[in-house]
Amino acid sequence: MIRLIASDVDGTLLQNGNRELNPELFSLIERLEQKGIIFCAASGRQYPNLKRLFAPVWERIAFISENGALVTHQGKNIAVQPMPRQESLELIADILAQPGCEVQVSGKEQVYLSPRNPKFIDHIENFVKNKVVLQEDFSQIEEPFLKISAMMMDGIEDETLEYFSRRWAQKLNVALAGSCWVDFTVANKAQALTELCHQLNISLSETAAFGDNYNDMEMLHMAKYAWAMGKADDVIKQAAGRTCSRVEPVLQSILDALEGLEQ
């Protein structure tokens, strides 16, 4: 019996450059809720950003935001996993020392930028639609750091990803999140899913998950039932064990199976 379904957003629910979710998803979420199944959006995005995306249903679902650093359910915080301050400042300096790299620091309601390229702030404000605060000195940020991200406008280069992994993977979770981003957190989506299930008294054997990228791998491996997007790398498909081209038809098949049992 599935009682909770967690899905990544970018590259999973949002594909082919789409910026808004398929309205079909909201009706499926409502039908799942009627069957006692909680839907959870699990993303590297900020919580306010996800609330906007899921506006018709946000008060009734769960969110794993910032790659697991913040977990909420029905508008209430379940868990927060901030990053250590001194290591975070060292990481920021390291990112800024890499040619072509921009840095984004995520707080709970906004992101902090010190952009080198004007296109970066335009992308964050108008495409990603995060609330942006320009910050020359990141040490002056008063709120906890939930996530730090390195971004390269033309895509993360292999040697850059290898450098960050070699330098920081022993201290922080380092995950490729789309072609242009490397995310650094203390938490990951699997830890967040575990905490959410614990708080809601749901067994991990009663969970399903969807994802497409390396920041989804632990969650896909942990959930009882998991699907990777067909375009995902093979290692992600192996973690999931199943593939699909879109989430919505799988949700429909789950509902069909439940309704069949009720007849």
Side-chain angles (χ1 to χ4, degrees):
M1 175 66 178
I2 295 173
R3 295 179 59 201
L4 187 147
I5 298 173
S7 178
D8 173 54
V9 176
D10 292 286
T12 302
L13 291 172
L14 291 176
Q15 299 186 40
N16 304 317
N18 288 330
R19 301 188 189 187
E20 300 297 332
L21 295 168
N22 186 339
E24 176 191 4
L25 177 66
F26 302 131
S27 63
L28 290 167
I29 289 172
E30 290 172 350
R31 290 172 60 197
L32 288 167
E33 183 185 25
Q34 292 168 5
K35 303 293 184 184
I37 300 173
I38 297 168
F39 184 86
C40 174
S43 174
R45 292 191 181 218
Q46 283 204 300
Y47 178 49
N49 188 297
L50 291 171
K51 284 169 62 177
R52 178 192 60 79
L53 270 177
F54 287 86
V57 295
W58 82 266
E59 292 180 299
R60 305 203 298 275
I61 68 173
F63 293 99
I64 293 171
S65 53
E66 305 291 8
N67 280 343
L70 178 63
V71 184
T72 58
H73 178 238
Q74 295 180 343
K76 298 179 181 179
N77 288 357
I78 296 290
V80 182
Q81 278 264 50
M83 298 177 68
R85 177 61 62 123
Q86 187 56 43
E87 284 186 345
S88 295
L89 294 174
E90 293 172 8
L91 170 61
I92 290 167
D94 196 10
I95 294 171
L96 292 175
Q98 307 309 310
C101 274
E102 300 278 5
V103 66
Q104 175 179 275
V105 176
S106 297
K108 184 178 178 182
E109 300 286 339
Q110 57 201 10
V111 297
Y112 300 86
L113 309 178
S114 183
R116 297 166 165 176
N117 185 338
K119 292 182 180 180
F120 181 51
I121 188 170
D122 178 69
H123 176 79
I124 301 302
E125 283 188 317
N126 299 316
F127 183 81
V128 181
K129 298 187 182 298
N130 280 340
K131 179 181 178 182
V132 171
V133 174
L134 298 181
Q135 188 78 37
E136 289 188 11
D137 184 353
F138 289 97
S139 69
Q140 297 304 305
I141 299 172
E142 295 183 357
E143 68 173 310
F145 299 167
L146 297 184
K147 184 183 70 178
I148 295 172
S149 302
M151 196 266 200
M152 301 181 77
M153 295 293 295
D154 295 326
I156 294 291
E157 298 172 355
D158 290 343
E159 55 267 31
T160 303
L161 178 60
E162 290 169 4
Y163 169 79
F164 285 135
S165 297
R166 184 172 63 252
R167 175 74 175 81
W168 291 99
Q170 297 300 314
K171 301 176 182 179
L172 300 167
N173 290 311
V174 182
L176 187 66
S179 61
C180 296
W181 294 89
V182 180
D183 287 345
F184 303 82
T185 55
V186 172
N188 63 41
K189 292 182 182 182
Q191 293 168 341
L193 178 62
T194 301
E195 182 62 26
L196 178 62
C197 287
H198 174 73
Q199 294 292 333
L200 299 178
N201 197 29
I202 294 173
S203 167
L204 288 169
S205 65
E206 299 172 308
T207 62
F210 298 85
D212 78 306
N213 218 321
Y214 287 89
N215 60 343
D216 301 313
M217 278 187 60
E218 294 93 347
M219 178 178 73
L220 294 173
H221 184 73
M222 181 168 286
K224 175 68 174 179
Y225 308 97
W227 288 262
M229 297 299 102
K231 60 183 173 52
D233 288 349
D234 287 345
V235 65
I236 299 164
K237 292 177 181 177
Q238 285 183 331
R242 302 170 183 82
T243 61
C244 65
S245 58
R246 293 175 56 239
V247 174
E248 290 86 352
V250 181
L251 298 182
Q252 181 63 60
S253 69
I254 292 171
L255 284 164
D256 290 343
L258 291 171
E259 289 165 358
L261 290 173
E262 294 171 355
Q263 294 177 358

